[in-house]
Amino acid sequence: MKSAHIPRATIQRLAVYVQVLETLLQEGDSVISSDGLARACGVNPSQIRKDLAYFGEFGVRGVGYYVQDLLTAIKQSLGIDRTWNVALVGVGNLGRALLRHGIFRRRGFILVGAFDCDPFKIGEEVAGLEVVCSRRLKEKVSELEIEIGIITTPPERAQRAANYLIEAGVRGIVNFAPARISVPENVAVEYVDFMHHIFSVAFNISINQSKGLS
Amino acid sequence: MKSAHIPRATIQRLAVYVQVLETLLQEGDSVISSDGLARACGVNPSQIRKDLAYFGEFGVRGVGYYVQDLLTAIKQSLGIDRTWNVALVGVGNLGRALLRHGIFRRRGFILVGAFDCDPFKIGEEVAGLEVVCSRRLKEKVSELEIEIGIITTPPERAQRAANYLIEAGVRGIVNFAPARISVPENVAVEYVDFMHHIFSVAFNISINQSKGLS
DNA sequence: TACTGTGAACCGCTTCACAGCC
DNA sequence: GGCTGTGAAGCGGTTCACAGTA
C-alpha cells in the first residue's frame, strides 16, 4: 500500500470495481481503460485512477488496465485474496437465507458457525450447519478460527450478540439488525440496513414528484 | 422543506435518527438534546442540528427536541408518514426471507406482489402472496398501485427485472442483486450489497492487523 | 441557564488538467 | 496517439463558535 489513510468511499467503490471487473472477465474482456470502467460503474474516470493510486500503479499508460491483473491487485489490496471464517448469530428468516446463500462462500467468506439463543432452534440443521447456543460462541470461535461475525438477530438482541462475538475475539462485525451497537475501537463494524435504503428511495420519489408538480 | 438540495449523507442519517428516536420513545424518553441524540447515533451534535435545519426548526432552545414531535417531523420530511406498496422480483432464499420479514410492513412498506420467472415458482404461495410471472408486472403494478420495486434475482437477471419494473411504471428500485443496473433518471435506485460491507470489514481487519504489527 | 439555529471556517473527497510513459 | 498517474483547484459536507431564544 502506498498511502496511509484511505477514504471510506474509496473502499466501497473498490468493491464495485471488483463486481464489474468479474463480469468483464466472464465476458472475455482482457483490457479496460479507466474511462470504460468508469462508465460501467457510474463514476468519474479520475476517481478510479485516484482510488487505485492509493494502493499502487496497476495500469499501463496508453493501454489501460489488464482486467485479470487489476482484479487480483484490488482483491489483494482489500484483503479478500484469502478466505475468512464467519459466524452468523440469529437464525431467523434472514439468517437462514444468508446461510443458504452461495455468494458468501463464492467470495471467500465461509459461514462455519450458526448461533441462536432460542432452545427450539438449537440443534436444528441449516445449510449443513448445526445451530449452536450463542453462549458457546467463545469456545466455537477459537475452535473454528472465526474472525468475522454476522448479526441477524432482532434489534433488541443485537447488542448482546455483539457482546458475545467481541468477547469471543471476533475482529469485525456485519450487523443486519436495525439497531446501533457499541463496540471497542479495534473491532470493525458495518451496518446493512435495508430500511435505510428503502427510506431513501421513498424520499427521492417524493422529491421527484414535488419537482414534477412545480 | 426549507432547502433545495439535501446531501445524500443527511438522508441516511435521518434514517438512523428515526431508528434511535423510536427506541427512545419505547423507553419512555420524551425530550432529547442534539447532544444526547448525537451520542446515541455516533455523530457530531452540530451535524444533527444542520441535518434537521434542511427541513425546518423542530427544536426548542434551552430544552431540546420533543421525541414524538421530532420523529413525526422527520418521517414527514422523508415521505414515510404514509404507506407504500412494494413489489418484490425474484423469489429465491433472500426474496422469501424479505417477504416473510415483518419489518417492511411495520415501517409502512407493504409487499403486495411477488414475482419470478421460474415456472416452478409461479403459483406458489409465500407469506400469503401468490408468486406471479414477472411478465405480468405491468398489469399488476397498476392494479395494485405499486410504486417501489425490490430486486432479489441473481445478478445476471437484475437488469431484466429492472426493465420490467420500469416499464410497469415503478418510481423507485431497491436492488439486492450484486450487479449495477441502468435506469432512467427519474427512477430512484438504491443498492443493498452486503458483500460490499463484508469486504469493508475484511479490509479494516487487515488494516488494523498491519497497524498492530508495526 | 441551557440548548437550538446558523454563518463562517475547515477539511477531505472529487474533478480537472496535464505531465509522464508505453 | 492514447491512456495512466498526480499535483492543484474546486466543491460539498462537517465542525466550530456564537448569536438567538425559551
Side-chain angles (χ1 to χ4, degrees):
Chain A
M1 196 180 316
K2 282 173 66 183
S3 184
H5 172 75
I6 285 135
R8 186 192 172 71
T10 292
I11 302 303
Q12 288 182 17
R13 279 191 300 270
L14 287 175
V16 177
Y17 304 160
V18 169
Q19 201 174 82
V20 171
L21 288 169
E22 287 191 333
T23 311
L24 286 172
L25 207 61
Q26 276 171 24
E27 290 171 356
D29 296 331
S30 64
V31 182
I32 184 120
S33 66
S34 60
D35 253 67
L37 186 54
R39 213 161 309 124
C41 301
V43 302
N44 183 296
S46 327
Q47 185 78 83
I48 293 190
R49 299 201 295 274
K50 248 309 182 258
D51 285 340
L52 298 177
Y54 285 117
F55 297 94
E57 304 191 4
F58 307 127
V60 183
R61 289 162 202 245
V63 179
Y65 301 89
Y66 292 104
V67 177
Q68 178 62 73
D69 292 358
L70 183 56
L71 196 50
T72 306
I74 296 179
K75 283 186 171 177
Q76 205 160 39
S77 305
L78 284 177
I80 53 172
D81 57 338
R82 45 162 289 198
T83 61
W84 295 79
N85 290 337
V86 180
L88 184 141
V89 188
V91 186
N93 282 327
L94 185 60
R96 274 170 223 273
L98 295 183
L99 286 169
R100 292 180 186 137
H101 208 305
I103 198 168
F104 288 101
R105 176 174 293 268
R106 217 173 305 131
R107 295 296 178 96
F109 294 86
I110 302 168
L111 293 161
V112 294
F115 300 85
D116 204 295
C117 62
D118 179 348
F120 288 100
K121 288 178 185 160
I122 293 166
E124 193 188 333
E125 193 179 301
V126 181
L129 248 46
E130 189 192 334
V131 178
V132 174
C133 175
S134 303
R135 284 177 221 285
R136 292 178 56 202
L137 257 165
K138 191 163 190 174
E139 146 201 353
K140 282 291 185 179
V141 160
S142 35
E143 182 190 324
L144 300 167
E145 295 183 314
I146 291 167
E147 289 171 277
I148 296 177
I150 292 179
I151 297 177
T152 45
T153 63
E156 61 273 17
R157 255 170 269 152
Q159 183 64 58
R160 199 173 55 175
N163 295 344
Y164 282 137
L165 284 166
I166 293 159
E167 203 196 341
V170 151
R171 312 286 318 268
I173 292 174
V174 183
N175 181 19
F176 283 76
R180 302 283 107 181
I181 54 174
S182 47
V183 302
E185 213 184 335
N186 63 341
V187 175
V189 180
E190 283 284 321
Y191 293 91
V192 181
D193 195 328
F194 22 92
M195 287 323 289
H196 291 10
H197 294 275
I198 206 167
F199 282 1
S200 188
V201 165
F203 173 72
N204 283 308
I205 293 177
S206 308
I207 291 287
N208 287 344
Q209 259 158 6
S210 60
K211 264 194 288 190
L213 294 174
S214 66
Chain B
M1 195 181 314
K2 283 172 66 183
S3 185
H5 172 76
I6 286 135
R8 187 192 171 74
T10 291
I11 302 303
Q12 288 182 16
R13 281 191 299 270
L14 286 175
V16 177
Y17 304 160
V18 168
Q19 200 174 83
V20 171
L21 287 169
E22 287 191 333
T23 310
L24 287 172
L25 207 61
Q26 276 170 24
E27 288 170 357
D29 297 330
S30 64
V31 182
I32 184 117
S33 67
S34 60
D35 253 68
L37 186 55
R39 214 162 306 124
C41 300
V43 301
N44 182 296
S46 327
Q47 185 77 82
I48 292 189
R49 300 202 294 275
K50 248 309 183 256
D51 285 340
L52 298 176
Y54 284 116
F55 297 94
E57 304 193 2
F58 307 125
V60 183
R61 287 162 204 247
V63 178
Y65 301 89
Y66 292 104
V67 176
Q68 179 62 71
D69 293 357
L70 183 57
L71 196 51
T72 306
I74 295 179
K75 282 187 172 177
Q76 205 159 39
S77 304
L78 284 178
I80 54 172
D81 57 339
R82 44 162 290 196
T83 61
W84 296 79
N85 290 337
V86 179
L88 184 142
V89 188
V91 187
N93 283 327
L94 185 59
R96 274 170 223 273
L98 296 184
L99 286 169
R100 292 181 185 135
H101 208 304
I103 198 169
F104 288 101
R105 176 174 293 268
R106 216 174 305 131
R107 295 295 176 97
F109 294 86
I110 304 168
L111 293 161
V112 293
F115 300 85
D116 205 295
C117 61
D118 180 347
F120 288 99
K121 288 179 185 161
I122 292 166
E124 193 188 333
E125 193 179 302
V126 181
L129 248 45
E130 189 193 334
V131 179
V132 175
C133 174
S134 303
R135 283 177 221 285
R136 291 178 58 201
L137 257 165
K138 191 162 190 176
E139 147 202 352
K140 283 290 187 180
V141 161
S142 35
E143 182 191 324
L144 300 168
E145 295 183 315
I146 292 166
E147 288 171 278
I148 296 176
I150 292 179
I151 297 177
T152 45
T153 63
E156 60 275 15
R157 256 170 267 153
Q159 183 64 59
R160 199 172 57 173
N163 294 345
Y164 282 137
L165 285 166
I166 293 158
E167 204 197 340
V170 152
R171 312 287 317 267
I173 292 175
V174 183
N175 181 19
F176 283 76
R180 303 280 108 182
I181 54 175
S182 46
V183 302
E185 214 185 334
N186 64 340
V187 175
V189 180
E190 284 283 321
Y191 293 90
V192 181
D193 196 328
F194 25 91
M195 287 322 290
H196 290 11
H197 293 275
I198 207 167
F199 282 1
S200 187
V201 165
F203 173 71
N204 283 308
I205 293 176
S206 308
I207 291 286
N208 287 345
Q209 258 159 4
S210 60
K211 263 195 289 191
L213 293 174
S214 69

